[in-house]
Amino acid sequence: MDTPLKIAGREFSSRLIVGTGKYKDNATMVKAIRATGTEMVTVAVRRVDLDRSNEEGILHHLDPDEFLLLPNTAGCYSAEDAIRYARLARAAGFTEWVKLEIIGDQDTLLPDTHATVEAAKVLVGEGFKVMAYTNEDLIAALRLEDAGCVSVMPLASPIGSGLGVVNPYYIREIKRRLTVPVIVDAGVGTASDACVTMEQGVDGVLMNTAIAEADDPVAMGEAMGLAIRAGRLAYLAGRMPSREIAVPSSPTRGMLD
């Protein structure tokens, strides 16, 4: 019933992308990531040891033949910093793929959309395949698509909040208007949030904290993988109309006396 997720010409059978931060240890991280069924894993360039030979580092435990390792610019507060760390990631052996993230406010961790658009233009011009994190702002999303991003990633709610999709209308409108894949990023707290997010018709979801900070990250990882598939299938199936009155499940005509 469905087709694979396709980003920049590459196909993925899973529509879930996961992060690598906040796990209690690397062994749990790897088990939880595998439990999700994901094929793409994000790595914060500013926060990890880029030396893959270091057994204590995250990268030592992630096989690039098993996952597409997506470097991200988390922790950057300017276009200049984000561009520099994207270049550093490529020089360190990552592919040309990058998740562009530029924070504009330290309290809310909301993105700086202006800086993100400017950095996207530079990185796209240098051959990067940019997946850009942004607000649930249609205008910013359209500008990022125009800048050449291969995917636009509006937030469901603030990073690490676990509030789920706060503004589903805006998420649906972004998906309706863009031609590149729309991956909802940040704010998913549990499996029901992931399912509801996918029911908006988006192409995928990126999450980290919801899995890493669960009491059982491996079980939550599996739950999230199932929820993403359920939400996608429900969207494709088409839900029944919502009504404010009861409607019998079975016809009343022809009932036995």
Side-chain angles (χ1 to χ4, degrees):
M1 187 174 184
D2 200 3
T3 56
L5 169 62
K6 183 180 289 187
I7 305 175
R10 179 164 175 169
E11 292 187 350
F12 301 89
S13 60
S14 173
R15 293 177 178 272
L16 175 58
I17 305 169
V18 297
T20 52
K22 301 184 178 180
Y23 286 95
K24 64 180 181 179
D25 54 59
N26 289 327
T28 301
M29 176 193 70
V30 173
K31 289 178 182 178
I33 289 173
R34 286 178 174 152
T36 68
T38 189
E39 297 160 275
M40 190 187 307
V41 177
T42 66
V43 179
V45 181
R46 294 195 70 171
R47 296 169 180 161
V48 300
D49 185 347
L50 296 178
D51 181 3
R52 298 175 188 271
S53 66
N54 180 6
E55 295 185 7
E56 298 300 318
I58 287 174
L59 291 179
H60 182 78
H61 300 271
L62 296 173
D63 184 353
D65 292 329
E66 183 177 3
F67 308 107
L68 171 62
L69 300 182
L70 179 67
N72 72 55
T73 61
C76 291
Y77 286 82
S78 70
E80 293 76 13
D81 277 353
I83 292 167
R84 181 167 65 252
Y85 280 100
R87 291 169 176 166
L88 175 63
R90 185 158 65 177
F94 286 93
T95 67
E96 70 276 14
W97 291 65
V98 64
K99 179 197 166 187
L100 177 61
E101 178 180 323
I102 303 175
I103 300 301
D105 180 70
Q106 290 188 349
D107 292 333
T108 62
L109 300 180
L110 292 174
D112 183 331
T113 56
H114 176 75
T116 302
V117 172
E118 293 306 306
K121 291 177 180 177
V122 173
L123 293 173
V124 168
E126 294 181 4
F128 283 91
K129 295 178 180 179
V130 179
M131 301 175 66
Y133 172 65
T134 185
N135 288 319
E136 74 276 48
D137 179 341
L138 174 63
I139 307 306
L142 289 168
R143 288 176 177 166
L144 288 166
E145 181 177 55
D146 289 343
C149 294
V150 299
S151 175
V152 175
M153 310 179 79
L155 55 79
S157 51
I159 293 172
S161 68
L163 293 173
V165 180
V166 173
N167 293 311
Y169 165 78
Y170 292 111
I171 296 297
R172 291 195 301 271
E173 188 64 12
I174 289 171
K175 173 56 187 171
R176 187 179 75 84
R177 295 285 296 276
L178 269 62
T179 58
V180 298
V182 174
I183 309 293
V184 171
D185 181 9
V188 169
T190 191
S192 57
D193 297 331
C195 190
V196 168
T197 302
M198 290 302 297
E199 287 174 354
Q200 309 311 308
V202 298
D203 299 284
V205 175
L206 190 154
M207 65 180 73
N208 182 176
T209 307
I211 299 174
E213 292 193 349
D215 291 342
D216 186 336
V218 178
M220 184 60 80
E222 182 177 1
M224 289 299 191
L226 293 169
I228 293 294
R229 293 195 291 275
R232 177 66 177 175
L233 186 58
Y235 168 74
L236 294 173
R239 64 157 292 149
M240 61 167 282
S242 298
R243 308 182 180 98
E244 294 185 354
I245 59 172
V247 177
S249 298
S250 302
T252 55
R253 180 178 298 178
M255 293 181 62
L256 297 175
D257 292 333

